[in-house]
Amino acid sequence: MAGRPTEKAEVSSMNKTILLSLFAALWLLPSAQAAKPNFVIVFCDDLGYADIGPFGAKGKATPHLDRMAKEGMRLTDFYSTCPVCTPSRASLLTGCYPRRVNMHEDEKNLCVLFPAARKGLNPSETTVAEILKTQGYATMCIGKWHLGDHPDFMPTNQGFDHYFGIPYSNDMNRKQVPLPLVRDLQAIEDSVQRDTTITTRYTEEAVKFIKANKAKPFFLYLPHTAVHLPLVPAAKFKGTSQDGLYGDWVQEVDWSMGEIFKALKDAGVDDNTLVLFTSDNGSARERQGSNLPLRGRKGRTDEGGMRVPCVVRWPGNIPAGTHSGALTNTLDLLPTLAHLAGGAAPDRVIDGKNIWPILSGKSKAHPREAFYYYQMDQLQAVRSGDWKLFVPMASKKRNWGKPEGKTELQLYNLAKDIGESTNVAADHPEVVQQLLAHAETARRDLGDVGRPGKGQRKAGWVETPSPRLLAK
């Protein structure tokens, strides 16, 4: 009998320890488990690696993005999956390489979709917006879509409740199909190619969306028209930078970010919102600081074409003032947001990884063994760890975007040579063979020139084009 109080005390102590352990485990989870986190993805067009302050911009000021980096994390080895527009957008939304969803080129084998396209992102694919909708999220796309202008392919048929923006790039103004401003599926203006208010209008729509949905979880996808040619910064931003109209427009994008952060604070949801800022590919300008210290530019599989600036902020969940050199990219957004929202990845093969362990500061490891650099239907390079290898071409007739070199095999250690200046293939034959093996894996799965991949799926197709036009 004398031992019973001690036994009770031990059981009580054990229960207390278990409860404390459970509490600690819950404490380590994202703070918004009770209320699902909101997501804002800002996807610029042709913004280079060094075009914003957190990545060394010169001649332009980006105070809001600077503050975002101080309060969040910079991903220094973050990639788009292609150095041009349409394929990179398909990857962000589906978590798949462009070739997997057959969005690596258009119906005429050109690198991006054009107005009145018969091809588009297949509605049977599962987008991140569709996954979040199943978790009760309000969803909206504001800006440049570029995944097909037929109603079957537009945002409102791909998981978004609403859409406001232009269906393709702002240089695609055609006589038969002007550059329309579209709300949901209806063209509301005939041509906005030279509209210097476009960034302001996108921002106003974004602020309205945040205010209207502050009481429930929301997903805002904001693919800016900026800073694609033609350059059309608002009048009040012209002449404000030391980098011409380009720098002026970058500064307007930074202003837009400030307005979004203000709206989040005013709505009382700033602490429960993950905001990610990045670009669809590198800048079209190789010099003037935009892609430096990277080699190359938009349209090429050099680092300057596909490595892009990325800043992520979520107060209290993403450690402030940090950076990660893990090999991450736009493929990872779908599985990561799905995880944080309590949803599941699609019931099909995707290529993205859940990078929440990296964003939360709990892991520094690369989330993938290899990353593939494709341009159109050509596999051009492979990265594994710090090593990048430009591989032998499947067809020398289709070499658009590959850098010139004295030898076909070019190996670079990106940790030591971020500018890809010294080919060390001859010094590391074992690394070359390892990366060639990865390339062969990609060719079997995703394909290469004249070689279909076993893992490719069909794009969306329609018999008759139906672009967004003003009602006559």
Side-chain angles (χ1 to χ4, degrees), residues 106-127:
D106 80 342
E107 62 249 47
K108 298 179 181 178
N109 298 320
L110 299 174
C111 62
V112 298
L113 297 182
F114 286 84
R118 293 179 54 234
K119 186 178 181 179
L121 180 63
N122 197 323
S124 70
E125 293 293 340
T126 302
T127 69

Side-chain angles (χ1 to χ4, degrees), residues 199-236:
T199 302
T200 299
R201 297 168 83 173
Y202 289 169
T203 305
E204 290 171 348
E205 289 285 331
V207 169
K208 284 193 289 186
F209 175 76
I210 291 168
K211 289 181 178 178
N213 294 282
K214 63 183 180 181
K216 56 186 175 182
F218 61 79
F219 170 49
L220 170 62
Y221 172 47
L222 175 52
H224 272 294
T225 294
V227 284
H228 195 285
L229 294 172
L231 301 173
V232 287
K236 67 179 181 179

Side-chain angles (χ1 to χ4, degrees), residues 36 77 118 143 151 175 183 200 278 335 424:
K36 292 179 184 291
D77 290 56
R118 293 179 54 234
K175 184 176 181 180
R183 185 176 293 281
T200 299
T278 189
V424 294

Side-chain angles (χ1 to χ4, degrees), residues 28-149:
L28 290 172
L29 291 173
S31 62
Q33 286 295 304
K36 292 179 184 291
N38 309 304
F39 305 116
V40 177
I41 304 298
V42 181
F43 203 43
C44 287
D45 196 352
D46 292 3
L47 184 78
Y49 189 75
D51 270 335
I52 61 174
F55 284 78
K58 296 181 180 179
K60 36 196 174 287
T62 57
H64 297 293
L65 287 166
D66 294 348
R67 181 169 61 84
M68 182 181 177
K70 289 178 182 178
E71 296 174 353
M73 178 180 288
R74 292 184 305 118
L75 299 180
T76 59
D77 290 56
F78 188 86
Y79 290 83
S80 174
T81 57
C82 189
V84 292
C85 304
T86 293
S88 62
R89 291 156 202 277
S91 290
L92 184 149
L93 289 174
T94 65
C96 297
Y97 281 107
R99 278 190 65 98
R100 187 174 301 287
V101 292
N102 220 294
M103 292 299 290
H104 56 290
E105 54 191 17
D106 80 342
E107 62 249 47
K108 298 179 181 178
N109 298 320
L110 299 174
C111 62
V112 298
L113 297 182
F114 286 84
R118 293 179 54 234
K119 186 178 181 179
L121 180 63
N122 197 323
S124 70
E125 293 293 340
T126 302
T127 69
V128 61
E130 289 171 315
I131 290 173
L132 295 177
K133 274 183 68 68
T134 66
Q135 297 300 309
Y137 278 69
T139 59
M140 186 168 187
C141 173
I142 300 172
K144 170 183 167 178
W145 178 240
H146 216 173
L147 291 172
D149 57 2

Side-chain angles (χ1 to χ4, degrees), residues 396-468:
K396 293 186 178 181
K397 294 181 179 179
R398 301 206 66 174
N399 187 29
W400 191 69
K402 188 168 182 177
E404 296 295 331
K406 293 181 180 179
T407 63
E408 200 168 15
L409 281 172
Q410 298 176 50
L411 179 69
Y412 301 100
N413 186 316
L414 296 176
K416 299 177 180 179
D417 183 18
I418 193 172
E420 300 170 286
S421 61
T422 305
N423 180 7
V424 294
D427 301 327
H428 300 278
E430 73 291 350
V431 176
V432 170
Q433 291 305 310
Q434 290 171 4
L435 270 67
L436 285 175
H438 285 309
E440 183 55 31
T441 298
R443 286 169 172 147
R444 286 195 302 267
D445 184 24
L446 298 169
D448 206 340
V449 177
R451 180 177 172 180
K454 294 181 180 179
Q456 284 187 277
R457 301 194 285 265
K458 294 181 179 179
W461 288 89
V462 292
E463 290 297 322
T464 305
S466 180
R468 306 300 83 217

Side-chain angles (χ1 to χ4, degrees), residues 323-337:
H323 69 275
S324 171
L327 179 49
T328 53
N329 59 70
T330 52
L331 297 169
D332 303 328
L333 300 188
L334 181 148
T336 302
L337 301 195

